[in-house]
């Protein structure tokens, strides 16, 4: 029995098994706290220049109103974004012209995906506020390390929430009311070309 469990057993007067359950429930309660209230990425760390599966976790609608559309704004520097299809949802991809084209496998790329949206085909396909779902895409990350913020909007039958706030200098992410999904890009030495 760990020190934490012994202390909790002494303070609560409960047996070790009950304390284990209590500690587990307390941990789950804190783990599902503020992070569960907004849209987050399943994997929040990746290597610079790597191919990355951005899996956006959606935990609720707009109050009790179901979600009918999810919109992801692709951060500048992210290349070749490809959405994963979802049964019952249509996909719309918006591309923007690049100020500086780049070469990809011998092909000149002059425009890049700027926005991807998933829209429910019918009201029966809406994501109820009491349910959880995920929306995914694959892309190549920028070569430079640092934080990368993904603005995501959820459009509901009634209402809309734009998760697009980023911390200002000296501000903590926990202080934001509608934080953008954060991916921490780590430096990598000699990262190979991989898909």
């Amino acid at each position: 029995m760990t020190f934490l469990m012994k202390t909790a057993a002494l303070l609560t007067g409960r047996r070790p098994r009950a304390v284990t359950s209590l500690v587990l429930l307390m941990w789950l309660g804190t783990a599902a706290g503020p992070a569960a209230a907004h849209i987050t990425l399943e994997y929040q760390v990746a290597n610079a220049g790597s191919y990355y599966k951005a899996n956006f976790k959606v935990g609720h609608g707009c109050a009790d109103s179901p979600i009918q559309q999810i919109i992801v704004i692709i951060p500048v520097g992210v290349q070749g974004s490809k959405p994963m299809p979802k049964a019952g949802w249509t996909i719309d991809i918006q591309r923007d012209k690049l100020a500086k084209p780049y070469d990809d496998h011998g092909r000149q790329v002059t425009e890049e995906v700027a926005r991807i949206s998933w829209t429910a085909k019918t009201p029966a396909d809406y994501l109820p506020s009491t349910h959880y779902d995920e929306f995914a895409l694959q892309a190549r990350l920028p070569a430079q390390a640092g934080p990368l913020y993904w603005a995501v909007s959820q459009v509901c039958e009634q209402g809309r929430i734009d998760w697009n706030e980023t911390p200002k200098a000296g501000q903590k992410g926990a202080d934001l009311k509608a934080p953008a999904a954060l991916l921490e890009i780590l430096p990598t030495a000699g990262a190979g070309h991989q898909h």
Side-chain angles (χ1 to χ4, degrees):
M1 185 167 27
T2 67
F3 174 76
L4 176 62
M5 291 173 57
K6 286 180 184 177
T7 304
L10 287 172
L11 292 173
T12 62
R14 296 182 181 184
R15 294 183 309 204
R17 178 169 282 170
V19 170
T20 301
S21 298
L22 179 66
V23 169
L24 180 60
L25 284 172
M26 288 170 54
W27 179 81
L28 286 173
T30 57
H38 55 270
I39 295 177
T40 59
L41 287 162
E42 180 177 12
Y43 302 106
Q44 298 175 354
V45 177
N47 289 330
S50 68
Y51 283 85
Y52 171 72
K53 178 184 175 185
N55 197 26
F56 297 93
K57 303 186 303 178
V58 182
H60 64 80
C62 307
D64 293 330
S65 184
I67 298 171
Q68 60 186 16
Q69 186 180 49
I70 293 291
I71 303 164
V72 176
I73 304 301
I74 308 301
V76 173
V78 173
Q79 298 176 345
S81 298
K82 296 178 182 179
M84 181 181 286
K86 266 184 103 49
W89 296 70
T90 60
I91 294 173
D92 181 59
I93 300 171
Q94 176 188 320
R95 291 177 170 80
D96 287 348
K97 290 277 185 198
L98 292 172
K100 183 179 178 184
Y102 66 90
D103 185 72
D104 181 35
H105 297 95
R107 179 177 62 91
Q108 186 81 357
V109 178
T110 59
E111 59 181 22
E112 194 57 84
V113 175
R115 177 180 173 251
I116 296 174
S117 63
W118 290 261
T119 305
K121 292 179 181 177
T122 69
D125 298 311
Y126 289 178
L127 175 59
S129 190
T130 55
H131 293 180
Y132 163 88
D133 207 344
E134 298 174 344
F135 295 79
L137 63 88
Q138 179 190 23
R140 185 168 188 185
L141 297 175
Q144 67 274 10
L148 186 69
Y149 293 94
W150 303 71
V152 182
S153 296
Q154 61 186 68
V155 180
C156 300
E157 189 174 36
Q158 296 177 357
R160 174 186 177 121
I161 303 173
D162 295 311
W163 303 101
N164 58 10
E165 294 180 0
T166 58
K168 310 256 185 303
Q171 186 180 24
K172 295 183 181 174
D175 297 336
L176 302 175
K177 291 182 182 176
L182 171 62
L183 174 65
E184 195 62 47
I185 300 180
L186 302 178
T188 181
H193 181 84
Q194 47 185 308
H195 291 266

